[in-house]
Amino acid sequence: MRIGELAKRAGTTTRALRFYESQGLLTAPRAANGYREYGEEEYRLVTEILSLQAAGLSLDDTRPFVECLRAGHPAGDSCADSIEVYQRKLDEVNACIERLTAVRAELLDKLARALPRQEGPCTVPDDPEES
């Protein structure tokens, strides 16, 4: 299939496919006329990349998964390097959750202390110069 067909089938753009190629994630076999010719293997790589990016992985994070598939494994996460990326990304997500949980607790505390001091609805004059 040509690049436009692969892009449409995978749900991406030809620009993205060319970028993946420039980053070494996708190879573009060429026909005698110079057109890129893609097969099921390339489709599989592209769908793996897109799936991983949808899960929050960076394009660079997808490299071990692509390499694992290229090595002939049945799934991109069949290799130790791919598992390591999952674990690292999960650690990053857990750290974000911890930070957000701390921020939430601080905001709840501030709100709980502020509510009893509220005397009525706050009003802001339309023209600050009038106050």
Side-chain angles (χ1 to χ4, degrees):
M1 74 190 99
R2 303 244 304 262
I3 193 168
E5 184 182 346
L6 176 60
K8 183 176 181 179
R9 188 170 163 207
T12 191
T13 64
T14 58
R15 184 175 179 208
L17 297 178
R18 287 186 189 100
F19 183 71
Y20 298 162
E21 182 182 349
S22 75
Q23 297 301 302
L25 292 168
L26 188 64
T27 54
R30 301 279 180 159
N33 60 7
Y35 291 135
R36 292 172 174 89
E37 289 291 332
Y38 297 99
E40 291 305 310
E41 179 65 20
E42 289 80 22
Y43 172 74
R44 186 172 179 212
L45 293 176
V46 171
T47 57
E48 180 82 356
I49 292 167
L50 294 171
S51 171
L52 292 166
Q53 286 190 299
L57 275 67
S58 71
L59 192 57
D60 199 46
D61 287 334
T62 68
R63 287 184 190 285
F65 298 85
V66 169
E67 291 168 8
C68 191
L69 286 172
R70 281 189 182 146
H73 293 277
D77 57 8
S78 299
C79 300
D81 289 346
S82 301
I83 298 299
E84 186 272 322
V85 171
Y86 280 154
Q87 290 172 331
R88 179 178 46 79
K89 200 64 176 173
L90 190 56
D91 289 344
E92 290 174 14
V93 168
N94 285 333
C96 285
I97 290 170
E98 287 176 20
R99 283 192 302 274
L100 288 172
T101 299
V103 168
R104 183 177 187 275
E106 180 68 21
L107 288 170
L108 284 170
D109 182 57
K110 288 182 178 299
L111 179 61
R113 286 185 279 131
L115 285 174
R117 292 191 298 264
Q118 183 181 13
E119 295 178 10
C122 293
T123 57
V124 178
D126 290 335
D127 185 359
E129 307 237 341
E130 290 179 10
S131 20

